Amino acid sequence: MLTINWGFREQVQEAYHLLKQWAPLEPHDALQLLSLRFPDPKVRAHGVRWLSLLDDEELAQMTLQLVQVVKFEQSHDTALNRFLLRRALMSPPVCGHALFWALHVEREVEDRHHNCRVLLEIYVRNSGRYRVAIGHQMFVVNKLTQVVTAVKEFCASKDEHGDPNVKLREKLKDLVLPRSFQLPLSPHMECKGLIIEKCKVMGSA
């Protein structure tokens, strides 16, 4: 037999009512309502409401943190996911760029609901003409990854006179890149090629 705790239900309804009376929140303060401490969808939606005050640049800078929150959402259809998708589709070169790459690096993470993978697929499917720009960025990243791999293999097997910078520039000269492409690291940088003679191998931990 199901027993309903009407007292608790009334408390929840009162809490929802009080949400509407809260003083306006700063977007950064509203992030607290998206933590794991507040699983209630109405409370989380209230937090998302104040995030809408962010302009495109501010949202792009915060997207990496918001995608970490996405991993723990209880379903695919949430206020946060809808908000991120809407803003990404409204501003592809800024918000869309930030969302794509933040989701892309998390796509293989086995979160409970595969939220990042699903959200990424939905965004790319609906990104319209910006999908071409995404394709160019992915193509460039893949080609540069191949160059890095070749240089690493060269460094691992080279004789004492081998110069990894020479190998790097040889590989870069063979690349055929798009005429222009957005830089994945920054939505405001559009590149038209590489200055190969200035490229060099850097030490890394």
Side-chain angles (χ1 to χ4, degrees), residues 4-199:
I4 299 176
N5 187 337
W6 291 103
F8 176 74
R9 182 173 179 178
E10 289 174 356
Q11 291 174 359
V12 171
Q13 292 301 320
E14 183 179 359
Y16 289 161
H17 180 71
L18 290 173
L19 279 176
K20 300 176 182 178
Q21 300 179 35
W22 275 17
L25 293 175
E26 291 293 327
H28 289 80
D29 294 331
L31 284 175
Q32 298 178 47
L33 298 180
L34 298 176
S35 72
L36 293 176
R37 293 187 302 160
F38 302 102
D40 186 276
K42 288 193 176 183
V43 174
R44 298 176 75 80
H46 189 73
V48 171
R49 172 188 172 192
W50 297 112
L51 291 180
S52 64
L53 298 177
L54 295 167
D55 63 30
D56 289 348
E57 296 293 340
E58 292 171 325
L59 179 57
Q61 293 174 11
M62 197 182 288
T63 296
L64 187 61
Q65 288 84 356
L66 291 174
V67 165
Q68 298 306 307
V69 176
V70 165
K71 291 192 293 186
F72 300 100
E73 291 287 84
Q74 295 302 306
S75 71
H76 302 146
D77 188 8
T78 66
L80 177 60
N81 289 355
R82 287 186 175 217
F83 167 73
L84 290 173
L85 278 173
R86 182 173 66 253
R87 291 291 296 269
L89 294 173
M90 290 172 60
S91 176
V94 179
C95 297
H97 178 277
L99 182 64
F100 173 81
W101 285 106
L103 291 171
H104 181 74
V105 299
E106 298 286 353
R107 69 194 185 283
E108 300 300 334
V109 174
E110 293 298 328
D111 61 89
R112 182 178 177 184
H113 301 288
H114 308 291
N115 286 328
C116 290
R117 190 181 309 168
V118 171
L119 196 59
L120 179 63
E121 291 174 358
I122 293 173
Y123 173 66
V124 172
R125 193 184 312 132
N126 293 279
S127 57
R129 289 183 297 176
Y130 190 64
R131 189 170 182 173
V132 175
I134 292 173
H136 286 170
Q137 294 172 52
M138 289 293 299
F139 178 83
V140 172
V141 169
N142 289 337
K143 289 298 182 181
L144 292 178
T145 300
Q146 293 173 12
V147 170
V148 169
T149 300
V151 172
K152 286 175 66 176
E153 291 174 351
F154 172 80
C155 289
S157 62
K158 69 179 180 63
D159 59 43
E160 61 182 75
H161 302 294
D163 186 348
N165 288 317
V166 172
K167 184 68 173 180
L168 171 67
R169 291 162 188 160
E170 287 177 354
K171 289 293 183 180
L172 292 177
K173 286 179 181 177
D174 293 336
L175 292 184
V176 178
L177 300 178
R179 291 184 179 180
S180 64
F181 52 91
Q182 202 175 12
L183 192 66
L185 293 175
S186 171
H188 302 295
M189 296 186 69
E190 185 170 337
C191 304
K192 294 185 177 181
L194 304 171
I195 304 176
I196 294 177
E197 60 273 15
K198 292 188 177 182
C199 296

